[in-house]
Amino acid sequence: MQANRAPVSAEPESTADESSGLLVLALLSLIIGAAVGLVCALFWLALVQGDAIRNVLVSWAQGGSWAGLLVVAGSCGAAAALAAWLVRRFSPDAVGSGIPQVEAVMSGEERASPLRRAWVKFVGGVLAIGGGLALGREGPSVQMGAGIANMLATVCRRNWHDSRVLFAAGAGAGLATAFNAPIAGAVFVLEELVRRFDMRTAVAALGASAGAIAVARVLLGVLPDFHVAPQPYPGLATVPIHLVLGIIAGILGAAYSRVVLSSLAVADATHWLPVEARAALVGIAVGALAWFAPDLVGGGDALTQRALDAKEAPVLIVVVFVVRFALGPVCYAAGTPGGLFAPMLVLGAQIGVVFGWVCHQWLPGDAASATAYAVVGMAAFFTAVVRAPLTGIVLAVEMTGCWTLLLPMLTSCFAAMATATLLRSPPIYDSLKERAAKLAAP
């Protein structure tokens, strides 16, 4: 009888241990999220201040004729060069988005980075994006979040599995803070970083995103990133129209991925040029552009808002789209910290608003508003490039508050994902991770 009782008592003990471990993981995820939310919110505020300083400098310099142009171009070039120097000197893996590096750690191809990468991302990101480079704040935020999570998991002596889960959750918390989108941060962890649903990972991702947003909203406010008027539920007749929008977004997304990779290939081919000099040249070009058109440089949130407002002439939006389509990849190849998400959202919104204008000319009775197409275009273009449709849909919804457009987003994202895949365009972060592995190989 005694021998038969042992297995009976073993199961409750195992269940209790598992529950206790999950509770500790959940509590740590909240703490990590709060820390990540504080750091990434401060990063966001620093970027806002950097944009303000750049705009004041441009406004002052525009009154000084060509001498002012030299001042702006030189200042932007110096900021980009300093950002590239920080990366090369202190943390080479802090270059670019950082999401491929986080994914490499998750797949076991790299070790988790030391915390010093976080401050390089912070300072370098402020210099690069504040200096006008067309880069996103989410890349540095994701990598800073992962670094903070790794440090706290180490301090708390968590095992390898829990450390890996918290590492991913910290990265998601960084994304959540970057766009004030907590659900998107958690979905990003499951869809892009882990690529499977796991109960412990889901709990940690949700906890970290919740903790991050709870702290970040104290500093940043509770409103969505973009102000969009409530949109009506679209009719069934718009389904074919949104399929067409998705196909267009898929084609342009595949092209954008190739332009990004081609820009990096050109940068690799000019290895004889110091990275600081390359970054300075890009910064000087961006500074010159800022002197003529200040709104075209930087992360691009103002451009996205203007596209969502749908009040500008379509011809002007097309011109801005062409400029930003080329500028984003060039800036990404400069060798400084900075992400791809925010520039992609700019392009997606512009694709949608122009598409909406065309639809109103040809199908005035069936077309939705240009603003609605802009919101859907954000999700579809993101999906085409990143190949993470759930993240793209949730991100667009949380950033605009347009819950009524879920079905059009699903339709367009389906078409965009299928189109980009048929065009044999791999997910951009898979390509970037493969490129990094080749560069690291002896």
Side-chain angles (χ1 to χ4, degrees):
M1 293 292 293
Q2 192 69 26
N4 292 333
R5 290 177 184 171
V8 177
S9 62
E11 185 176 351
E13 288 177 3
S14 177
T15 303
D17 290 344
E18 183 178 350
S19 299
S20 176
L22 183 61
L23 178 60
V24 172
L25 187 71
L27 292 175
L28 279 176
S29 71
L30 289 171
I31 295 170
I32 287 171
V36 173
L38 176 61
V39 172
C40 293
L42 293 175
F43 178 64
W44 188 340
L45 292 174
L47 290 178
V48 171
Q49 190 63 33
D51 286 345
I53 292 172
R54 185 185 69 247
N55 290 333
V56 169
L57 176 64
V58 171
S59 297
W60 169 82
Q62 285 176 335
S65 187
W66 296 108
L69 171 61
L70 296 177
V71 171
V72 174
S75 299
C76 293
L82 181 55
W85 176 80
L86 286 173
V87 170
R88 181 188 62 80
R89 175 65 179 81
F90 296 103
S91 183
D93 288 340
V95 68
S97 167
I99 292 177
Q101 289 86 347
V102 171
E103 292 185 350
V105 173
M106 292 299 300
S107 63
E109 300 171 31
E110 293 184 14
R111 287 187 174 184
S113 60
L115 191 60
R116 69 170 177 271
R117 183 184 294 176
W119 77 260
V120 173
K121 276 287 188 181
F122 192 110
V123 178
V126 171
L127 288 169
I129 303 172
L133 268 61
L135 299 170
R137 61 183 175 269
E138 83 293 330
S141 297
V142 166
Q143 205 166 17
M144 286 190 292
I148 292 169
N150 180 65
M151 179 199 70
L152 292 178
T154 302
V155 169
C156 295
R157 298 183 179 181
R158 305 311 299 168
N159 58 38
W160 175 86
H161 181 71
D162 279 2
S163 296
R164 182 174 180 272
V165 167
L166 292 171
F167 182 84
L175 178 66
T177 307
F179 293 122
N180 196 12
I183 302 176
V187 172
F188 172 76
V189 171
L190 299 173
E191 185 180 34
E192 180 65 20
L193 297 184
V194 180
R195 302 193 178 186
R196 63 185 175 86
F197 182 86
D198 173 79
M199 182 61 68
R200 295 175 69 84
T201 304
V203 168
L206 291 169
S209 291
I213 291 299
V215 172
R217 286 185 174 174
V218 174
L219 299 174
L220 305 176
V222 299
L223 296 177
D225 267 21
F226 302 117
H227 305 291
V228 179
Q231 299 295 310
Y233 287 97
L236 190 62
T238 63
V239 171
I241 300 175
H242 287 109
L243 283 173
V244 175
L245 174 57
I247 292 171
I248 294 172
I251 294 171
L252 292 174
Y256 188 72
S257 294
R258 287 169 184 167
V259 173
V260 170
L261 296 174
S262 296
S263 298
L264 291 169
V266 171
D268 294 340
T270 58
H271 56 83
W272 47 270
L273 187 66
V275 66
E276 294 86 353
R278 187 169 70 234
L281 290 174
V282 174
I284 289 170
V286 167
L289 178 62
W291 192 78
F292 289 102
D295 292 343
L296 291 186
V297 303
D301 280 3
L303 291 174
T304 303
Q305 183 63 63
R306 280 159 49 183
L308 292 169
D309 292 338
K311 294 180 179 178
E312 293 189 330
V315 174
L316 177 60
I317 293 177
V318 170
V319 172
V320 174
F321 174 84
V322 172
V323 172
R324 292 285 301 198
F325 195 92
L327 184 64
V330 170
C331 291
Y332 192 77
T336 66
L340 293 169
F341 278 27
M344 284 191 288
L345 296 176
V346 174
L347 298 176
Q350 292 170 339
I351 292 169
V353 75
V354 173
F355 180 83
W357 180 82
V358 173
C359 287
H360 274 286
Q361 301 301 310
W362 291 357
L363 304 167
D366 295 328
S369 69
T371 295
Y373 286 119
V375 175
V376 175
M378 291 167 61
F381 189 76
F382 177 93
T383 297
V385 178
V386 181
R387 220 62 55 81
L390 296 180
T391 302
I393 290 171
V394 175
L395 189 62
V397 167
E398 289 192 286
M399 294 184 75
T400 62
C402 292
W403 301 95
T404 56
L405 300 177
L406 281 171
L407 180 58
M409 289 186 202
L410 183 64
T411 304
S412 289
C413 288
F414 154 74
M417 190 167 186
T419 301
T421 302
L422 290 173
L423 292 174
R424 298 182 179 180
S425 173
I428 187 63
Y429 291 120
D430 288 357
S431 298
L432 293 175
K433 187 171 67 172
E434 181 181 345
R435 171 183 174 271
K438 289 181 179 178
L439 291 176

